[in-house]
């Protein structure tokens, strides 16, 4: 379920963090569900276990997962709190995009028209990425 | 831990290693990258006790290596051209290594050999280049040593095999804290598996750091300004390189992303993009600073 994009410039441990956060926010990984062990995920993704350890450590620090020694790591936070965070990040990104559009002299009406058009497309279908 | 203290190695008048010092922590995966002729292979050969440094010393967990049998059974060296006894088979190599490495795991050897679809009784000299590489890796993994030194080991393996080998390494790292030291030119690949990288140039270490810190500590910035700027126009920013292409400025800057963004925004860019560097780009920009410049090579 957790994947990494080898062409992404982001460090792998940050990709894992984002991945787990997204999966938790969407409810795909509900609260108290177990994450793969460090060893299994390292073998599956063919990457360094220390990288995964670092990602899990950071997720724990952020309060998104909790670890029971000898049993593994589990999703902690309720998805709502994560969702709020995601929405906040989305608006930050949107702000940047709109500033980009402004520097290209795209009129606001055109942007709004496109927004409506895309909104009416409905939810993302399976196989498409966010 | 492996510690090289001020080692120097001459081949006649050629200085292959120049007062190199580096520390490799146990449990990390150390990537050794460098320009051609930087001394990567020489360094690995010193680490494995094949060569003796002219000055300085290398310690594996506090002990010197050269002509020290006890320490040598704690690591396995997969050299660039692997050596197998003439006319031998994988089975014979297995029996040989069992005598050398006290923890050699025959069952594991047979198991991996079988899953890699190599025949235990076939003569090794009839193996392809890639199959010989595979066999050397299997020997290394079955030897259950604390360290494995890999010299360009992933080259010559097909993509499926590379993933398989990386997975096998990952399992050994997680289960028993194996410390691989991997010299390679394939920086893309080192990015997946290494957490620490040492960059060699002309026999010395240019930098040795955690890969993630390295990636987050250097950024590539593309920006368009209404008027052209030079390096000197930006104060309080550590610019490694700055290139102009028309009004597009491409920077490589050391430091935190937020800090850099704020600094650049003071100059009112029309367009601004801040990206972390790939290991390949770090390699190019760091070696360019010390005069290893692609533009000099292609003109």
């Amino acid at each position: 379920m957790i994947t990494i994009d080898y062409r992404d410039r982001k460090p792998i441990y940050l990709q894992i963090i984002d991945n787990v956060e997204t999966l938790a926010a969407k409810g795909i990984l509900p609260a108290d569900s177990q994450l793969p062990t460090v060893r299994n995920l390292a073998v599956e993704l063919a990457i360094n276990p220390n990288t995964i350890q670092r990602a899990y450590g950071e997720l724990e620090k952020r309060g998104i997962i909790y670890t029971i020694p000898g049993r593994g790591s589990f999703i902690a936070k309720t998805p709502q709190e994560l969702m709020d965070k995601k929405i906040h990040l989305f608006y930050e990104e949107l702000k940047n995009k709109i500033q980009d559009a402004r520097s290209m002299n795209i009129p606001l009406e055109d942007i709004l028209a496109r927004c409506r058009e895309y909104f009416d497309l409905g939810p993302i279908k399976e196989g498409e990425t966010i | 831990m492996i510690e090289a203290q001020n080692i120097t190695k001459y081949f006649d008048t050629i200085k292959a290693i120049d007062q190199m010092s580096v520390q490799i922590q146990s449990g990390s995966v150390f990537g050794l990258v460098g320009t051609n002729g930087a001394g990567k292979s020489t360094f690995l050969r010193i680490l494995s006790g094949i060569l003796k440094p002219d000055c300085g010393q290398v310690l594996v967990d506090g002990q010197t290596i050269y002509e020290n049998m006890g320490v040598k059974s704690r690591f396995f060296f997969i050299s660039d051209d692997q050596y197998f006894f003439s006319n031998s088979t994988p089975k014979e190599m297995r029996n040989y290594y069992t005598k050398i490495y006290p923890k050699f795991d025959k069952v594991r050897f047979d198991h991996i050999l079988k899953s890699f679809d190599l025949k235990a009784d076939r003569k090794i000299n009839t193996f392809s280049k890639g199959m010989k590489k595979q066999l050397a890796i299997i020997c290394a993994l079955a030897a259950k040593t604390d360290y494995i030194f890999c010299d360009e080991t992933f080259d010559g393996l097909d993509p499926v095999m590379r993933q398989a080998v990386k997975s096998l390494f990952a399992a050994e790292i997680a289960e028993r804290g194996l410390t691989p030291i991997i010299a390679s030119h394939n920086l893309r690949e080192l990015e997946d598996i290494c957490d620490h990288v040492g960059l060699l140039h002309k026999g010395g270490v240019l930098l040795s750091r955690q890969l993630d810190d390295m990636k987050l500590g250097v950024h590539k910035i593309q920006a368009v300004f209404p008027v052209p700027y030079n390096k000197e126009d930006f104060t309080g920013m550590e610019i490694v390189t700055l290139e102009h292409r028309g009004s597009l400025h491409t920077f490589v800057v050391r430091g935190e992303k937020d800090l850099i963004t704020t600094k650049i925004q003071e100059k009112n860019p029309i367009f601004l993009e801040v990206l972390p560097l790939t290991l390949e780009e770090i390699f190019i920009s760091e070696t360019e600073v010390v005069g290893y410049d692609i533009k000099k090579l292609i003109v």
Side-chain angles (χ1 to χ4, degrees):
Chain A
M1 203 150 27
I2 298 168
T3 53
I4 47 173
D5 178 358
Y6 292 115
R7 277 174 302 175
D8 197 325
R9 287 168 175 270
K10 255 191 306 189
I12 294 171
Y13 86 97
L14 286 180
Q15 288 192 40
I16 295 170
I17 292 172
D18 289 352
N19 237 296
V20 173
E21 283 190 348
T22 311
L23 291 169
K26 284 183 171 174
I28 299 169
L29 287 176
D32 298 322
S33 61
Q34 188 168 7
L35 287 167
T37 62
V38 170
R39 185 203 172 274
N40 287 350
L41 192 58
V43 171
E44 188 189 319
L45 300 175
I47 59 169
N48 190 335
N50 299 333
T51 307
I52 294 160
Q53 193 65 62
R54 183 169 182 184
Y56 280 13
E58 180 64 30
L59 282 165
E60 198 170 349
K61 224 193 295 170
R62 292 187 192 181
I64 291 153
I65 64 169
Y66 62 93
T67 302
I68 302 172
R71 284 196 52 206
S73 302
F74 302 85
I75 298 289
K77 252 191 185 170
T78 53
Q80 190 51 49
E81 283 165 74
L82 261 177
M83 209 59 217
D84 292 344
K85 195 184 153 200
K86 273 194 65 118
I87 291 170
H88 173 75
L89 284 175
F90 167 76
Y91 279 122
E92 283 288 302
E93 228 172 279
L94 187 65
K95 186 177 134 201
N96 288 338
K97 283 284 164 214
I98 289 175
Q99 280 174 338
D100 273 0
R102 205 179 161 173
S103 69
M104 288 185 273
N105 295 322
I106 302 174
L108 178 62
E109 293 72 43
D110 289 10
I111 301 171
L112 289 173
R114 286 288 179 110
C115 285
R116 284 205 187 83
E117 188 191 319
Y118 295 152
F119 197 84
D120 290 340
L121 287 177
I124 298 168
K125 286 168 207 80
E126 205 183 318
E128 285 177 286
T129 47
I130 314 161
Chain B
M1 189 178 76
I2 294 178
E3 207 177 356
Q5 298 165 340
N6 265 315
I7 52 169
T8 301
K9 178 74 194 170
Y10 281 95
F11 292 118
D12 292 329
T13 53
I14 304 157
K15 203 187 238 178
I17 302 273
D18 186 7
Q19 293 188 5
M20 183 155 102
S21 294
V22 68
Q23 278 191 0
I24 299 168
Q25 301 293 338
S26 294
S28 76
V29 183
F30 195 90
L32 207 54
V33 303
T35 49
N36 289 334
K40 297 185 296 290
S41 297
T42 308
F43 178 62
L44 286 181
R45 284 160 75 196
I46 292 173
L47 274 194
S48 38
I50 297 168
L51 297 172
K52 193 181 178 193
D54 296 323
C55 307
Q57 57 177 357
V58 184
L59 301 173
V60 172
D61 297 322
Q63 293 190 61
T64 55
I65 304 157
Y66 193 74
E67 290 183 346
N68 185 346
M69 286 283 280
V71 174
K72 283 188 183 180
S73 66
R74 305 204 31 214
F75 56 78
F76 195 104
F77 179 34
I78 308 173
S79 78
D80 194 14
D81 48 341
Q82 311 83 42
Y83 177 77
F84 301 105
F85 296 125
S86 54
N87 265 326
S88 65
T89 62
K91 203 174 171 179
E92 284 160 7
M93 287 314 289
R94 181 196 71 183
N95 295 340
Y96 168 71
Y97 280 125
T98 310
K99 295 193 182 88
I100 307 284
Y101 292 102
K103 282 189 253 172
F104 196 94
D105 186 341
K106 278 190 176 184
V107 179
R108 177 122 171 104
F109 180 92
D110 292 343
H111 178 76
I112 310 176
L113 197 72
K114 204 172 165 217
S115 54
F116 277 30
D117 210 13
L118 297 175
K119 299 274 173 292
D121 291 318
R122 187 172 148 184
K123 293 258 188 279
I124 296 170
N125 57 22
T126 67
F127 278 13
S128 76
K129 197 172 138 197
M131 288 158 93
K132 284 180 192 161
K133 277 249 153 103
Q134 290 172 26
L135 179 62
I137 293 164
I138 298 168
C139 291
L141 286 170
K144 298 273 171 194
T145 53
D146 299 332
Y147 303 92
I148 295 182
F149 306 148
C150 306
D151 195 358
E152 312 266 348
T153 301
F154 293 93
D155 305 5
L157 294 179
D158 68 56
V160 175
M161 208 40 86
R162 293 164 113 96
Q163 284 298 95
V165 170
K166 280 192 272 179
S167 288
L168 285 169
F169 270 60
E172 298 284 326
I173 297 159
E175 278 160 18
R176 56 183 193 89
L178 168 77
T179 307
I181 296 167
I182 304 170
S184 177
H185 283 293
N186 192 337
L187 304 183
R188 182 64 281 302
E189 202 143 64
L190 286 180
E191 280 185 277
D192 316 337
I193 193 89
C194 294
D195 45 31
H196 208 105
V197 170
L199 174 54
L200 265 58
H201 182 59
K202 290 192 173 167
V205 180
L206 276 187
L207 52 103
S208 163
R209 287 178 64 187
Q210 283 250 296
L211 182 57
D212 289 332
D213 295 345
M214 200 141 101
K215 286 176 99 179
L216 291 176
V218 191
H219 289 86
K220 178 176 171 168
I221 296 138
Q222 295 200 307
V224 176
F225 300 103
V227 286
Y229 286 109
N230 286 320
K231 254 186 181 180
E232 297 74 39
D233 298 319
F234 297 91
T235 47
M237 235 166 72
E238 202 187 331
I239 300 173
V240 183
T241 56
L242 170 58
E243 263 179 55
H244 301 89
R245 196 161 292 137
S247 59
L248 177 73
H249 295 55
T250 308
F251 302 75
V252 174
V253 183
R254 271 190 245 274
E256 295 278 321
K257 187 181 175 180
D258 295 344
L259 205 85
I260 297 167
T261 316
T262 328
K263 280 277 175 199
I264 303 254
Q265 257 158 359
E266 284 170 10
K267 300 274 193 252
N268 298 314
I270 303 163
F271 167 81
L272 172 64
E273 193 178 30
V274 183
L275 298 165
L277 257 67
T278 61
L279 186 54
E280 200 159 68
E281 287 165 329
I282 295 173
F283 182 95
I284 292 169
S285 65
E286 292 290 342
T287 52
E288 193 182 316
V289 174
V290 292
Y292 194 73
D293 191 345
I294 181 169
K295 283 184 218 91
K296 276 194 231 161
L297 301 172
I298 53 180
V299 171

